[in-house]
Structure formats: C-alpha cells, structure tokens
C-alpha cells in the first residue's frame, strides 16, 4: 500500500502531486513501541510472559489453579502480536499478579501426576525462567515505558481526534521520554529499587549476568554495580529505541508540514498567531507548486493578508455564537478573492 514505486501512495501522488501521506497515528505509535522488542532482554521477557499466559489458558485445570490463587483479581490477558499498545494491559496485569503467578506455577510443578509429567516440568521451567533478576527488571522497565504510551494510544483511538490532536499527544510523549532519557539515573534507580523489593519477596538473587570477553550475542557491558549494568544494557536502549522511532514516525518534515497546514481548518485558524501564519505562508510558497500562474506570482504579503482575512471570517462566526465546525463543512464554498484559486486547485486535485 505504501510502496514508493507501485503502491497506492504512488498512484495517488501521480495525480495529486502535492499529496502527502499521513499515516494512522495509532498504527504509527504501535510501530514505534514495537522497537522495544529490539532490546534482547525485553524481547525474551515478553516471549516468556506470552508462554506463561498460554500455559494457563491451554488447560482448564491449570486455569482453575490460577483463578483460585488470583482470588478475584483480573485474569491474565493474552499478548496481541500486532497491537503493541494492547500489551500494556497484559504487562500491567502480569506485573501486579506476579506473586500469584509464581504461587500457581509452584503448585502445578508439585503435582504428583505421572500423566502430566511433561506439563509439570514445563511449569518448573517457566517458574525458573520467571524468577530471575533480568526478567523482573525487564518487566518493570517495559511497564514504565508503556505507562507513557498506552494512554496516548487510547486518546488517538477517539472518533473526534484530528491530526493536530495526534501531533500534540505525540509531542507530549516525546517530551516525557526525553526527560526519562536525560534523567535516566534517577528514573531507573526507582525502577531498580522497586524490582529489588519484589525480588526480595520472591527470594530472588540480585545479580549481574556473567561477563565474557568473547560474548557477542547479548549485552556485555562492564559495570561496577548491578544497577549500572541494567541501566546501560536494558533501560537506556529501551527508551532510546522507542524515542527514536516516535520521532521518525511523527516528527518528520512531511508530518510537520501536514500539521502546520492543518491550522488553516476553521476550527484551528481562529487561534493561530502571526508566527503560525508566517509558517503556513512559507510552506505554501516554498513547499508547493500549483498550475495556476496567479498563485505562483502571489507575494507572501498578499497570501498572508488572505489568511488573516480567513482567520477573521471564522473568528466573527465564532464570536457571534455560530458553530464553527458546522460552518467549516462548507468552508471551501465560502472562499473568496485569491482563495478561489486555491479552491479551484483543490477541486482539480480531488478529480
């Protein structure tokens, strides 16, 4: 669909040369969050969570054991393969029920049944893999990131959200993640202390994986303390990967262009200032080329004046108690002056 050679985007742009691809904000957010799986510890831990959830869901007997231990708490949710933001609920529930899950796996591994010996050994294997320092810290670190992105995903799924609202949400997320990266020592210290408290309750040893000069298949960062090791090898790459892809997906030049031009919509034009108008004029004159000679020869000051008139028109409607959104549905038909040129060009592009 998005192929630059033969996809739908290429076909549309061959007719509407000024068209810009504006992808679904929520889908782009999912893609950005999926970058967390490039951190080996996170990928392994998420895979283990998936195995544990499946282990209980595949058997009514094992599921009953877990429900009995949970005693009314939310049941474990399966991890969706494609929608990473849905994993927040799964990870959050798993994290809050970790002691109950350990108890359930322990009970199952102690069953005295020869028929289910393979399942008993499976429970023991999952229990051993779960009760490790790396797993506990990974789940806590991932949950910390998802706490930032999951609320944004729910906002972006609202039926009344537009490009500007999505852009504002993403900018807030980027700001928070940048602060987490800048203050990673303080942020991770809190995550590590929470993890240590949890490991103490489960009698799990707080240790650093064995380091080897020949090791190339996993994180092998020299460090003085266990906290330093996991901060450098796990938390910082996790934050940086998600942050980098969020910027790539949303803060590109094309997306910023769409956001700025969206301010021409009557709902938003009433609140723009002179600086925003200058940005709109600059993009329209330098970033686009139209077939109409009149628009090509239009001075920036003239175009700026027309946009200011457009702004005042909708401010008047708003101040008189009119429904700007309702009137905006007929905005194209209400253009006058040089904006008629824009209207004609717009209709031509639609054809």
């Amino acid at each position: 669909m998005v192929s630059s050679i033969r996809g739908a985007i290429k076909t549309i742009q061959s007719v509407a040369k000024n068209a810009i691809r504006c992808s679904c904000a929520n889908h782009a957010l999912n893609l950005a969050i999926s970058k967390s799986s490039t951190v080996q510890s996170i990928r392994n831990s998420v895979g283990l969570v998936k195995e544990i959830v499946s282990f209980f869901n595949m058997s009514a007997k094992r599921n009953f054991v877990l429900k009995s231990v949970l005693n009314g708490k939310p049941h474990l949710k399966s991890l969706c393969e494609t929608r990473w933001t849905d994993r927040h609920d799964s990870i959050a529930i798993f994290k809050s029920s970790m002691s109950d899950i350990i108890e359930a796996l322990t009970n199952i591994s102690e069953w005295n049944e020869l028929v289910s010996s393979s399942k008993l050994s499976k429970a023991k294997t999952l229990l051993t893999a779960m009760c490790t320092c790396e797993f506990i810290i990974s789940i806590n670190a991932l949950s910390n990131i998802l706490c930032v992105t999951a609320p944004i995903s729910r906002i972006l799924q609202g039926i009344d959200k537009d490009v500007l609202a999505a852009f504002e949400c993403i900018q807030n997320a980027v700001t928070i993640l940048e602060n987490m990266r800048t203050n990673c020592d303080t942020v991770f210290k809190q995550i590590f202390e929470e993890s240590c408290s949890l490991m103490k309750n489960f009698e799990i040893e707080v240790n650093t994986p064995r380091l080897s000069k020949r090791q190339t298949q996993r994180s092998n960062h020299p460090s003085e303390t266990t906290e330093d090791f996991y901060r450098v090898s796990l938390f910082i790459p996790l934050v940086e990967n998600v942050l980098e892809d969020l910027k790539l997906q949303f803060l590109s030049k094309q997306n910023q262009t769409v956001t700025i031009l969206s301010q021409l919509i009557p709902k938003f034009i009433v609140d723009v200032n002179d600086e925003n108008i200058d940005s709109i004029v600059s993009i329209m004159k330098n970033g686009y080329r139209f077939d109409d000679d009149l628009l090509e020869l239009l001075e920036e000051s003239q175009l700026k004046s027309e946009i200011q008139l457009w702004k005042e028109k909708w401010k008047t409607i708003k101040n008189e108690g009119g429904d700007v959104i309702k009137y905006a549905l007929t905005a194209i038909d209400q253009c006058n002056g040089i904006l008629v040129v824009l209207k004609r060009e717009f209709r031509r592009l639609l054809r």
Side-chain angles (χ1 to χ4, degrees), residues 13-28:
Q13 289 178 336
S14 65
V15 180
K17 60 183 178 182
N18 290 325
I20 295 178
R21 174 185 172 235
C22 186
S23 59
C24 169
N26 202 46
H27 178 63

Side-chain angles (χ1 to χ4, degrees), residues 103-116:
E103 182 180 347
L105 288 174
T106 302
N107 294 340
I108 295 173
S109 64
E110 293 175 351
W111 283 352
N112 188 19
E113 298 182 7
L114 296 178
V115 178
S116 304

Side-chain angles (χ1 to χ4, degrees), residues 114-129:
L114 296 178
V115 178
S116 304
S117 58
S118 62
K119 301 303 178 184
L120 303 187
S121 61
K122 178 68 172 179
K124 184 66 175 179
T125 301
L126 293 175
L127 181 62
T128 302

